[in-house]
Amino acid sequence: MKLNHAHPSRRARALRITGIAAVAAIALAGCSASGDAGDGGDAGGELTFSNWQFLEDGKGPIIWDAVKGYTGPNDNIELTKVEIPFANYADKLSTELGAGGGPDVMVLQDSQFASLVDAGVLEPLDDIADELSDSLNNTNEAGFFQDGQYGFNWERPTYNTVIYNKDIFAELDLEVPTTFEEFLTTAETIKSELGIAGFAGRHQTAEIDGWTLEMANWIYGFGGELSDGKKLTIDKAENVEAVEAFLETFESGVAPIGDDASTFRAKFGQGQVGMLFENSGVATTITSNPDNVVNGENMGAAPLPLANAGSNSQLIIAVNANSDNVEAAKDFVRWVLGEEGQTAIRAGLGASAMATDVEPDAEFLAANPWATQFLEAAKTSKSTLVEGFETESKPIWREVLTAVEDLRVNGGDVKSKLAEVQKSLEAELG
């Protein structure tokens, strides 16, 4: 696949990261880019690699074990992991990078990636794209932005799937739902018969990044979108229907109010939640935890019980342009994208789409029949980036979700509320 394109100079862009003005003066010596001066491919020393996944139960240790032995082409690199919880990962990185620090290599969500490219703090990687064009698949188009390749697909977990507890479904003689009406009825049956949550999901702006991914399932699933590529479409009829269905689900009592993602995922793993709209990465984490009662055999996976495909969580590996060891960082990216690296990290990424078409281990697929659904769903899932408004995606989603949260807490007319958001964002963005 040909990925190379000419790109404008990153030096010519203004440094624009939300919140930087308030924190640029903070001393970040302990978080600054590390290593020796990077004037060539033989640069050695410490190379810092940031990824919130290192903290995930089950999955995190597998990923770190896959990469920690990397020592560079001249055996003089020491890879050090940087562990930042997902809840404040984006804000912390933006603060550090805006102050000229941050890790040498990092995994980013696509929304933050677009903003950081626009801010000029990510290193262009067109040369790597050229070198590896024959082996990279089209998921790496996610790392091409503003006429340059600034990153590559680390993992594409799709949220375009409902996972469910097969034991609960068998006990209650339930069928896997295929429509929203069937889904809500199934969730209500689980709640009434067993006294546990029939469904759970994010529903608070305190988890804004994760909720964006989940809410996109509802918006896309009902045929909605936040723009048509040229103008915003916040209050279109399909979006209104999606939000009404989301609110109805939580108002019905089938889903716990107040539980964050860590809590309800842990409950699902322990058999205390019937269904989740989840991504392949979380499914891998849940089934990799030996303490869970839900495992590869009794966890089911099926297409969303909605009319259309849902979202994906595109994760991108990128290099800090201000790193003191840029060439070593780029060598690490090359290794990750090569056969050795892809094979090594595949074990931790389960059923997610990767930068190359490396297949999951046959033994893994045999032990986890649910994985094939995620591999198939990756083909139709959609990014949460708002088309035509990519660098404004986070503030757009924030206003939308703030409105949804207000509707959940205080009630109100969904169409009128989304029309207010539409008007506000039009005034703000022009």
Side-chain angles (χ1 to χ4, degrees):
M1 173 183 181
K2 191 66 173 176
L3 293 169
N4 184 46
H5 301 266
H7 61 80
S9 171
R10 61 180 168 82
R11 307 292 183 189
R13 299 192 194 97
L15 183 61
R16 304 198 309 262
I17 302 179
T18 303
I20 289 301
V23 297
I26 298 176
L28 293 166
C31 300
S32 62
S34 62
D36 301 328
D39 57 357
D42 61 348
E46 182 187 24
L47 196 65
T48 52
F49 179 32
S50 177
N51 187 347
W52 69 86
Q53 294 174 320
F54 292 144
L55 293 171
E56 295 182 1
D57 290 339
K59 179 179 180 179
I62 296 173
I63 294 175
W64 177 241
D65 285 345
V67 302
K68 68 181 182 181
Y70 173 82
T71 57
N74 296 305
D75 200 28
N76 60 352
I77 295 293
E78 180 182 357
L79 194 66
T80 299
K81 62 179 173 180
V82 177
E83 299 174 319
I84 305 171
F86 179 77
N88 61 334
Y89 187 88
D91 288 343
K92 184 172 177 61
L93 276 190
S94 290
T95 299
E96 293 178 356
L97 292 166
D104 300 302
V105 186
M106 67 207 83
V107 172
L108 303 165
Q109 284 188 290
D110 53 3
S111 57
Q112 185 180 25
F113 167 78
S115 296
L116 294 178
V117 172
D118 192 55
V121 296
L122 298 185
E123 181 72 13
L125 304 175
D126 299 275
D127 53 341
I128 298 178
D130 278 345
E131 294 166 22
L132 302 178
S133 61
D134 290 341
S135 61
L136 298 175
N137 62 34
N138 62 8
T139 64
N140 294 285
E141 292 175 357
F144 186 87
F145 189 63
Q146 293 187 344
D147 299 321
Q149 192 78 36
Y150 289 89
F152 298 92
N153 176 24
W154 167 261
E155 178 187 10
R156 178 177 286 181
T158 175
Y159 271 84
N160 192 16
T161 290
V162 56
I163 60 174
Y164 60 96
N165 186 317
K166 293 169 70 173
D167 292 341
I168 289 175
F169 272 59
E171 178 182 352
L172 300 179
D173 195 26
L174 297 172
E175 297 290 331
V176 179
T178 60
T179 66
F180 171 70
E181 290 74 19
E182 291 176 358
F183 157 76
L184 190 55
T185 298
T186 300
E188 289 172 338
T189 299
I190 294 171
K191 176 70 173 180
S192 63
E193 293 294 323
L194 301 180
I196 64 174
F199 171 76
R202 290 185 175 102
H203 53 281
Q204 301 172 105
T205 51
E207 295 185 287
I208 191 74
D209 291 328
W211 189 18
T212 294
L213 292 160
E214 293 187 26
M215 195 66 210
N217 264 340
W218 295 82
I219 297 292
Y220 298 159
F222 278 86
E225 56 191 1
L226 299 189
S227 82
D228 61 8
K230 295 182 179 179
K231 64 179 186 298
L232 295 174
T233 57
I234 308 300
D235 59 347
K236 69 180 299 183
E238 293 85 351
N239 296 346
V240 172
E241 185 181 5
V243 172
E244 288 175 341
F246 175 86
L247 295 173
E248 182 182 359
T249 298
F250 281 86
E251 289 168 359
S252 72
V254 303
I257 300 296
D259 280 4
D260 61 13
S262 295
T263 300
F264 66 68
R265 286 167 174 170
K267 288 181 177 179
F268 179 86
Q270 290 300 307
Q272 297 302 306
V273 177
M275 294 179 287
L276 302 176
F277 290 178
E278 267 301 355
N279 69 72
S280 50
V282 168
T284 301
T285 299
I286 290 172
T287 55
S288 297
N289 188 338
D291 295 328
N292 282 339
V293 300
V294 176
N295 54 48
E297 291 297 327
N298 65 5
M299 187 179 78
L304 289 179
L306 305 174
N308 301 281
S311 67
N312 63 53
S313 171
Q314 178 62 63
L315 311 186
I316 297 172
I317 186 169
V319 171
N320 184 350
N322 291 313
S323 168
D324 291 330
N325 217 348
V326 166
E327 293 306 319
K330 290 173 67 174
D331 277 330
F332 176 64
V333 172
R334 287 186 182 92
W335 178 83
V336 166
L337 299 175
E339 182 177 358
E340 181 182 358
Q342 289 285 282
T343 301
I345 65 176
R346 166 51 91 185
L349 302 186
S352 298
M354 294 176 58
T356 68
D357 293 330
V358 57
E359 292 286 337
D361 182 77
E363 184 177 343
F364 170 82
L365 290 176
N368 299 279
W370 54 266
T372 55
Q373 159 60 28
F374 283 101
L375 292 169
E376 187 64 26
K379 300 175 183 177
T380 56
S381 60
K382 298 169 57 177
S383 168
T384 60
L385 292 183
V386 182
E387 185 181 2
F389 300 84
E390 287 81 2
T391 59
E392 289 84 28
S393 293
K394 287 177 75 76
I396 290 171
W397 275 106
R398 178 172 290 279
E399 288 213 31
V400 170
L401 295 182
T402 298
V404 174
E405 184 174 43
D406 183 67
L407 287 164
R408 180 183 62 78
V409 175
N410 300 310
D413 180 70
V414 173
K415 182 172 178 57
S416 298
K417 192 72 169 180
L418 294 188
E420 291 175 12
V421 175
Q422 173 82 20
K423 184 177 180 180
S424 173
L425 285 170
E426 286 177 342
E428 179 181 341
L429 301 177

